[in-house]
Amino acid sequence: MSVRFELDPAVTPEVRDGIRALWADVANAGGAVGLVPPVTPEDVRPDLVRHLVALTEGRERLLIGRDAGGRVVATAFLTLNWHRMSTHWLWVYTVMVHPDLQGRGVGRALMAAVADAARGIDDIIGLRLTCRGGTGLCRFYESCGYKEIGRAPRAIKLADGDFRDDITMWLDLA
């Protein structure tokens, strides 16, 4: 499947609603995107609003992927650091690929587009993200060139008795 990636798209109602629908679909398919299923697009709204505010304030950049029909099928938010000693790297948040596209190389293409976008931002030398243990995401990010640099055991609670490690990954762009 061909996906076209776009950095800093206009956040039209179509894009906003597309991200909300994608986020709900990913969460409901078991994706580690900050919500526990079942969720609706409306449940996603508060988290998305936080990202949209950060975009308008210039603290984040948005990368989306669209399919041939223009539907939003992938996202990542690149977050700039506010501390003067950390402005040389970005956080990557809310990395999502529509569940129907899993295993087709779209995730790898998204992560390559994230790295390319970051390389286009002055003085950025690295990317940092976190992922939930027990999902296989650590292996996926390692296959994209990231290295595990830290792990907080049992730092994520999905339900009573269901704790997961919070894994920090780094991609050196220099």
Side-chain angles (χ1 to χ4, degrees):
M1 159 161 274
S2 176
V3 174
R4 179 179 38 90
F5 294 99
E6 180 181 357
L7 181 64
D8 300 325
V11 182
T12 62
E14 173 196 13
V15 168
R16 180 199 64 220
D17 294 346
I19 295 170
R20 285 177 49 216
L22 171 65
W23 204 333
D25 289 345
V26 170
N28 286 327
V33 289
L35 300 164
V36 177
V39 299
T40 67
E42 189 59 32
D43 296 327
V44 171
R45 183 183 296 278
D47 293 334
L48 180 56
V49 166
R50 281 189 282 280
H51 280 299
L52 296 178
V53 168
L55 288 172
T56 62
E57 293 176 348
R59 296 181 289 117
E60 287 191 359
R61 311 276 301 266
L62 171 61
L63 180 71
I64 63 170
R66 296 179 193 255
D67 65 11
R71 180 177 67 129
V72 177
V73 295
T75 64
F77 289 88
L78 288 75
T79 302
L80 292 85
N81 285 295
W82 60 268
H83 193 281
R84 70 182 128 309
M85 297 174 83
S86 299
T87 59
H88 60 286
W89 59 271
L90 303 173
W91 281 101
V92 181
Y93 289 113
T94 320
V95 175
M96 299 185 287
V97 171
H98 196 278
D100 291 346
L101 302 178
Q102 296 293 321
R104 296 186 185 183
V106 176
R108 195 170 310 284
L110 172 61
M111 297 314 295
V114 165
D116 288 345
R119 286 184 184 98
I121 301 171
D122 288 343
D123 302 321
I124 297 301
I125 66 161
L127 296 172
R128 189 170 171 180
L129 58 80
T130 62
C131 60
R132 182 187 304 168
T135 62
L137 287 172
C138 190
R139 286 187 311 277
F140 167 73
Y141 289 122
E142 286 173 344
S143 76
C144 294
Y146 286 75
K147 295 179 184 172
E148 181 178 332
I149 59 169
R151 183 179 288 251
R154 298 170 34 97
I156 298 170
K157 182 179 180 180
L158 298 180
D160 288 342
D162 187 358
F163 296 93
R164 306 292 175 89
D165 292 356
D166 187 8
I167 304 165
T168 304
M169 310 288 293
W170 175 266
L171 178 66
D172 196 347
L173 297 173

